[in-house]
Amino acid sequence: MSEQKTPDRSRADGAARATNPLAPLGRALLLTRLGLVSERLWRCFWPLATILFLAAGLVFLGILDWMLLEAAWALAVLVVVGAAAALLWGAIRFRWPSRQEALIRLDETLPGRPIAAILDTQVSGAQDSASVALWQAHQDRMAARAAQAEAPAPNLRIADRDPYALRYVALLVLVTGLLFGTAWRAGTVADLMPGSGTAGLTGPTWEGWVEPPRYTGLPTLYLGDMSDDTLRVPENSRITLRFYGDVGDLTLAETVSGRTGELPSASTPEQSFSVTQAGDLTIHGTGGRSWSVEVIRDTPPRVTLAGEPDLSADGTLTLPFSASDDYGVVGGTVTISLDEDALDRRYGLATPPDARAPIELPLPLSLTGDRRLFSEVLEEEFSAHPWANMPVTYSFRADDAAGQHSQPATLQGPLTAPRFFDPMAAALIEQRRDLLWARANGPRVAQILRTLSHRPEDVFPDMGNYLQLRTILKRLEAYNTAGLSPEHQDEVATALWDLALQLEEGDVGDALERMRQAQERLSQAMRDGASDEEIARLMQELREATQDYMRQLSRQAQQQNEDEDGSESRDNAIQLSQQDLQSMMDRIQELMEQGRMAEAEEALREFQQMMENMQVTQGEGGQGDSPGQQAMDGLADTLREQQGLSDQAFRDLQEQFNPNAQRGESRGNEGRDGGLGRGQSHEGGGEGGEGESPGQQGGQQQGNGGQPQTGQSQDGQGGTGDLAQRQQTLRNELQRQRDGLPLGGPEGEAARDSLDQAGRAMEGAEDALRDGDYAEAIDRQSEAMEALRDGMRALGEAMAEQQQQGQQPGGQQGQSNRQGNALDPLGRDRGGQGSDYLSRDSIGDGQAYRRAWDLLEEIRRRAGERERSESERNYLQRLLDRF
């Protein structure tokens, strides 16, 4: 029976397939159609879903709890309008998928498109039984393949429609609100509200903050988190309260603001006020709170003076002080006013003074650290002020961020400034003070200046200063006749100040004269009863001047050869070491510190006489300089020669751009050759001979009046060809010195390399001079001088290395005997050199420093003169940038 039923069932299925070939695909076709529906719904209504997700997420996150009521309504309207628009847009675009579209989507997932094959009809061969059988077999095979079809997953990707992924942003907000918002904690929302929590979700709520002033640096307090009934807040803190619910459910009562006049209603939903006094703060209503408010007062800043006005080493007034504030000092002022009650109103000060405003200075603040408590120093320079060294009143005031001012800290004392100890300079400064005190003193000042200049040869060491004073006097008398205006008053005062500075400091090129002036100023300061700081400053100047003088004596002794008569006189010469000189000056300073000014002045006079009578001798036995010392001296001479050539090239460049300029325009550097000092040539072995020192050459030139002959250079040739020839000669001499360097090792090789570099720079300068390119020549000469200095530095290091190893350059051991003739005036061994030679006697110390500074100032002055040509000023600016 079963065998008979199976064929029957097969025939029945075949008949069913013949009638409806898609019957086995009913389930898969339904699922495919539902997938198409979901795709089209998502593609059409994803904006609506995004808006709804975002709105729900914001609600779950509690955004409505802190938004204003008006803002919440506006947001709700916006959400509704946006959702309606998105719904309308999706409804217009949505199309329900047909059965045919589902068949096509399902057939696309099967290999060979069997569903389409099942639905096909045989066209040709329908009458041929073999063709029909073949067609039926094909249909059965396609039907079997189609029966295995499964519904495809819907394609929900809409990246092309939502390129900014807004749907994911909305989904993230929704998930965050569900996980961390109030959606799952609806029963505990009341506990999150301020107050006792007895109010329901729909009842009145409040929130509030206390914001201290920003300058206090304290954090903002949230009143809902305050469990204590007492609040301690800084003065002027800002309290902000917000009430939610029906108006009138919550009201405010406070006595901390001190507000008067028209006040807002106690039930206003949002209130803000400042705390100015202690009192109570109460919120009446369901869930309200009450606090007792204590105010932390902002105390005014304080400032105290920690010392007396003092004079620092650089001539500035220093006055220490301390300032403090509970939250930090932000500013302040220092007022200096004249103390007329303590002023000695005699001579020019007896005249009623002109009105002059007090000195106003900002209070110096600490740049780093805590400004709640700090100590600083007022540093200002008042040497040129009309009240210099007069009694004044210092008033310090500090300010804080709240606008409060401290009580002034006052001090009466002098307006400390450097004093003038040259008699003529001090007299000019006194007359300048009287002129600035009152313009009515103009005739009196003119009369005194005329008296001071009556016998100029007795009081002016330089007639140029006398001529300056006479010019100032004539100008002042003319102004007095026409009426002395404030501008003329300041002009004459400035001229008197400049002249007094020249007389006090001078432009001393000779070390002995500089030392004499330092001694005279120190002696005058002791007689005038100067302060300890001024005496210490003058004593330091004397030490420096003495060291320069000793170095000058040492160089002169190395350059000159003693004859036999001179060697006999050396037997009776007194030898002094550097320690001896330091001990003598220390003794003078000790006497001054002890107040024994008479003894100190006598010791100073003896020291001055001894220094003037000092003789510097060579070592006994005819010992000559060591090879290392000779090489160092030769390089120093070469460097001076190169500096002279550079100065002469610079002056030729200046004359090239300004042909009408006089060659002797610089008083301290006369002639076309430039010079190390007044009337001194850089030409080395040019005219003066190799045995002459620079000082001797300068003397010869001064004997001729210091005037170069016009139309030619001092060597008699002139022109760039002569400079190029001298540059070539100097380069050859440098090559000879390099080949004769006695030292080896790394330092010696470094010295040779530097000298090679200097030689190449000299060769470039020589070529530039032959081409007439002065600017390029000066640049190359500068490179040569820099390389020469590097070579001398390396040579000194090599000599120091040998000395540390117990070997003097030249094989001689250093002598430390103070009695021996091998010591120079500073107590150093003349047979050996070391680092002391390089650091004290090389070209980079002493007068060379002053000479370099003078040259730099001269370049700055000329670069600032507008009447010079643009090309010349550009070159001068390049020199300043280089050095």
Side-chain angles (χ1 to χ4, degrees):
M1 291 294 294
S2 61
E3 291 180 355
Q4 293 177 354
K5 288 180 180 180
T6 298
D8 294 340
R9 187 180 296 112
S10 298
R11 284 193 297 269
D13 293 340
R17 283 196 301 269
T19 304
N20 185 12
L22 300 179
L25 302 178
R27 180 176 179 276
L29 186 60
L30 177 62
L31 293 177
T32 302
R33 196 170 186 181
L34 292 177
L36 288 174
V37 172
S38 63
E39 285 184 14
R40 296 188 178 185
L41 285 175
W42 178 240
R43 291 177 182 273
C44 293
F45 295 102
W46 72 267
L48 176 63
T50 300
I51 293 175
L52 296 179
F53 288 171
L54 183 61
L58 293 177
V59 171
F60 291 154
L61 289 175
I63 189 175
L64 300 179
D65 295 340
W66 55 269
M67 290 183 63
L68 296 176
L69 182 61
E70 294 78 1
W73 276 107
L75 180 61
V77 171
L78 184 63
V79 170
V80 172
V81 172
L87 179 62
L88 180 61
W89 182 82
I92 293 174
R93 297 174 62 89
F94 181 75
R95 294 290 182 273
W96 190 267
S98 64
R99 185 172 182 276
Q100 186 64 28
E101 291 174 340
L103 285 174
I104 295 174
R105 169 66 65 84
L106 181 62
D107 195 18
E108 289 175 350
T109 62
L110 298 173
R113 307 293 291 271
I115 297 177
I118 293 174
L119 298 177
D120 289 342
T121 304
Q122 184 178 5
V123 177
S124 62
Q127 303 302 323
D128 184 5
S129 59
S131 296
V132 171
L134 180 61
W135 175 256
Q136 189 62 42
H138 170 67
Q139 290 283 68
D140 292 341
R141 188 164 53 250
M142 291 295 100
R145 184 179 298 177
Q148 300 176 357
E150 295 182 359
N155 183 12
L156 301 179
R157 296 181 180 180
I158 56 172
D160 56 333
R161 300 171 182 263
D162 183 17
Y164 298 106
L166 298 179
R167 61 195 185 282
Y168 293 129
V169 174
L171 183 61
L172 176 63
V173 173
L174 177 62
V175 173
T176 304
L178 292 174
L179 294 178
F180 304 103
T182 59
W184 306 111
R185 296 184 288 116
T188 61
V189 170
D191 298 335
L192 300 178
M193 300 299 178
S196 60
T198 58
L201 289 176
T202 59
T205 61
W206 62 267
E207 58 183 350
W209 301 269
V210 180
E211 183 181 2
R214 181 168 298 180
Y215 63 82
T216 63
L218 299 177
T220 300
L221 303 178
Y222 185 66
L223 290 178
D225 295 336
M226 297 290 101
S227 59
D228 196 351
D229 293 336
T230 300
L231 292 179
R232 298 188 75 251
V233 298
E235 187 178 10
N236 295 321
S237 295
R238 194 75 178 172
I239 295 181
T240 301
L241 294 172
R242 290 176 181 170
F243 299 154
Y244 305 109
D246 295 336
V247 178
D249 291 346
L250 296 175
T251 58
L252 171 67
E254 56 88 12
T255 58
V256 296
S257 65
R259 294 178 293 178
T260 58
E262 185 177 355
L263 300 178
S265 173
S267 59
T268 302
E270 182 174 355
Q271 301 192 34
S272 181
F273 51 88
S274 296
V275 178
T276 60
Q277 61 189 16
D280 296 327
L281 176 65
T282 304
I283 300 176
H284 296 289
T286 304
R289 289 283 303 275
S290 178
W291 298 273
S292 176
V293 180
E294 298 179 0
V295 176
I296 303 175
R297 294 295 178 183
D298 187 352
T299 60
R302 295 169 296 278
V303 60
T304 58
L305 298 179
E308 297 290 332
D310 197 2
L311 190 66
S312 62
D314 58 354
T316 60
L317 178 145
T318 60
L319 183 56
F321 69 93
S322 298
S324 62
D325 185 67
D326 43 7
Y327 298 115
V329 176
V330 298
T333 57
V334 179
T335 304
I336 304 176
S337 56
L338 185 64
D339 187 3
E340 297 188 14
D341 295 335
L343 187 63
D344 187 6
R345 299 290 296 274
R346 294 188 299 169
Y347 309 119
L349 301 181
T351 306
D354 297 338
R356 187 175 294 275
I359 304 173
E360 294 281 350
L361 301 173
L363 184 72
L365 300 179
S366 177
L367 298 179
T368 59
D370 193 353
R371 289 188 180 177
R372 290 179 295 180
L373 177 61
F374 66 93
S375 297
E376 268 295 335
V377 177
L378 172 67
E379 294 185 358
E380 290 291 336
E381 203 270 334
F382 295 106
S383 58
H385 197 274
W387 296 344
N389 294 309
M390 287 187 181
V392 295
T393 300
Y394 299 88
S395 179
F396 284 69
R397 191 190 73 183
D399 304 333
D400 64 4
Q404 301 180 100
H405 309 299
S406 69
Q407 291 294 329
T410 60
L411 173 68
Q412 293 180 338
L415 187 63
T416 307
R419 299 169 58 185
F420 289 77
F421 297 104
D422 180 86
M424 178 55 68
L428 294 179
I429 289 299
E430 181 179 353
Q431 298 312 306
R432 173 183 177 272
R433 180 203 64 185
D434 294 346
L435 182 63
L436 292 175
W437 176 261
R439 291 191 296 277
N441 282 333
R444 178 181 180 277
V445 172
Q447 184 180 6
I448 295 178
L449 292 181
R450 184 171 292 279
T451 303
L452 292 175
S453 60
H454 177 57
R455 292 183 179 273
E457 63 277 359
D458 297 336
V459 292
F460 288 100
D462 188 349
M463 287 298 102
N465 295 333
Y466 165 71
L467 294 177
Q468 285 183 266
L469 180 59
R470 295 295 296 181
T471 302
I472 297 172
L473 175 60
K474 292 181 180 180
R475 190 181 306 169
L476 177 59
E477 290 177 341
Y479 291 156
N480 289 333
T481 302
L484 188 62
S485 64
E487 293 76 13
H488 295 158
Q489 179 188 29
D490 295 337
E491 177 186 345
V492 175
T494 302
L496 288 174
W497 173 262
D498 295 337
L499 179 57
L501 281 181
Q502 293 182 21
L503 293 172
E504 178 71 13
E505 300 177 358
D507 187 13
V508 183
D510 184 75
L512 176 59
E513 183 62 25
R514 180 170 174 264
M515 184 183 67
R516 287 174 178 169
Q517 288 192 6
Q519 292 170 347
E520 291 174 0
R521 285 198 296 269
L522 179 59
S523 179
Q524 185 67 32
M526 289 189 291
R527 289 193 296 269
D528 294 346
S531 63
D532 295 340
E533 293 75 16
E534 291 175 327
I535 291 179
R537 178 173 58 85
L538 295 174
M539 191 67 196
Q540 182 62 29
E541 292 181 2
L542 176 59
R543 292 178 186 272
E544 296 175 357
T546 302
Q547 291 176 0
D548 290 346
Y549 177 58
M550 298 306 295
R551 282 192 286 268
Q552 184 186 46
L553 289 179
S554 177
R555 286 193 293 268
Q556 291 178 358
Q558 294 173 10
Q559 293 173 0
Q560 63 187 4
N561 295 321
E562 298 286 350
D563 54 13
E564 293 182 357
D565 294 338
S567 62
E568 293 176 0
S569 64
R570 286 197 303 268
D571 296 336
N572 298 324
I574 300 177
Q575 300 295 323
L576 293 175
S577 67
Q578 185 179 12
Q579 184 62 35
D580 293 332
L581 297 177
Q582 293 294 337
S583 299
M584 296 176 67
M585 286 188 285
D586 291 343
R587 176 59 178 167
I588 295 173
Q589 188 168 5
E590 181 181 356
L591 291 173
M592 290 187 296
E593 293 174 353
Q594 294 175 358
R596 300 156 64 181
M597 293 300 178
E599 298 180 31
E601 188 173 356
E602 181 64 27
L604 181 61
R605 189 179 301 108
E606 294 176 358
F607 176 77
Q608 180 177 359
Q609 294 175 356
M610 179 194 65
M611 294 298 296
E612 292 178 356
N613 297 330
M614 179 175 291
Q615 295 182 4
V616 182
T617 63
Q618 293 279 10
E620 291 183 350
Q623 282 186 342
D625 292 339
S626 66
Q629 178 181 346
Q630 293 175 359
M632 185 71 76
D633 292 341
L635 292 178
D637 293 338
T638 302
L639 182 58
R640 284 193 293 271
E641 293 275 353
Q642 184 61 73
Q643 180 66 58
L645 285 176
S646 180
D647 288 351
Q648 183 168 338
F650 175 75
R651 292 189 176 276
D652 286 348
L653 176 65
Q654 184 181 14
E655 293 175 4
Q656 181 181 2
F657 287 101
N658 191 6
N660 297 325
Q662 297 181 358
R663 296 184 178 183
E665 63 179 309
S666 177
R667 296 179 59 235
N669 211 354
E670 297 158 356
R672 178 176 176 265
D673 293 339
L676 292 170
R678 179 177 297 178
Q680 186 172 330
S681 174
H682 282 289
E683 296 181 11
E687 292 178 335
E690 297 186 7
E692 293 179 348
S693 66
Q696 292 169 331
Q697 294 177 13
Q700 292 175 2
Q701 207 168 11
Q702 286 177 356
N704 295 331
Q707 297 295 334
Q709 299 183 13
T710 61
Q712 62 181 3
S713 63
Q714 293 181 355
D715 56 8
Q717 296 179 8
T720 58
D722 171 56
L723 290 179
Q725 182 62 36
R726 289 170 56 189
Q727 185 69 72
Q728 180 182 3
T729 303
L730 189 61
R731 178 168 57 87
N732 295 336
E733 175 63 19
L734 177 65
Q735 182 62 33
R736 184 192 63 79
Q737 293 172 348
R738 179 203 176 280
D739 296 338
L741 286 181
L743 301 176
E747 292 81 3
E749 289 301 323
R752 290 183 176 87
D753 293 341
S754 298
L755 296 185
D756 280 339
Q757 183 179 354
R760 291 191 295 270
M762 287 182 180
E763 184 177 3
E766 177 187 344
D767 296 338
L769 287 172
R770 295 189 189 280
D771 296 338
D773 189 353
Y774 287 106
E776 178 67 19
I778 294 174
D779 289 341
R780 301 289 78 76
Q781 288 169 342
S782 298
E783 295 177 3
M785 288 186 288
E786 185 65 25
L788 274 173
R789 294 187 184 99
D790 293 341
M792 294 175 65
R793 190 177 298 110
L795 181 59
E797 293 174 357
M799 294 163 61
E801 182 68 22
Q802 288 194 6
Q803 193 174 29
Q804 291 176 0
Q805 296 175 358
Q807 299 176 355
Q808 297 288 346
Q812 298 179 2
Q813 298 295 330
Q815 303 294 332
S816 59
N817 185 7
R818 291 175 52 196
Q819 308 298 332
N821 290 329
L823 298 178
D824 68 2
L826 298 183
R828 294 171 297 193
D829 186 277
R830 304 181 65 81
Q833 299 294 338
S835 60
D836 187 65
Y837 177 88
L838 183 65
S839 62
R840 297 173 185 251
D841 293 333
S842 64
I843 194 65
D845 202 352
Q847 291 190 10
Y849 274 140
R850 292 195 300 274
R851 174 59 181 160
W853 180 261
D854 293 341
L855 288 175
L856 190 59
E857 289 298 317
E858 179 68 14
I859 293 175
R860 286 198 184 100
R861 182 186 67 82
R862 297 187 182 188
E865 293 178 354
R866 297 294 181 180
E867 61 272 11
R868 297 184 181 274
S869 63
E870 187 67 19
S871 56
E872 182 182 1
R873 291 175 57 210
N874 290 339
Y875 171 71
L876 294 174
Q877 189 61 45
R878 289 201 303 271
L879 286 180
L880 290 176
D881 295 340
R882 185 176 185 85
F883 298 104

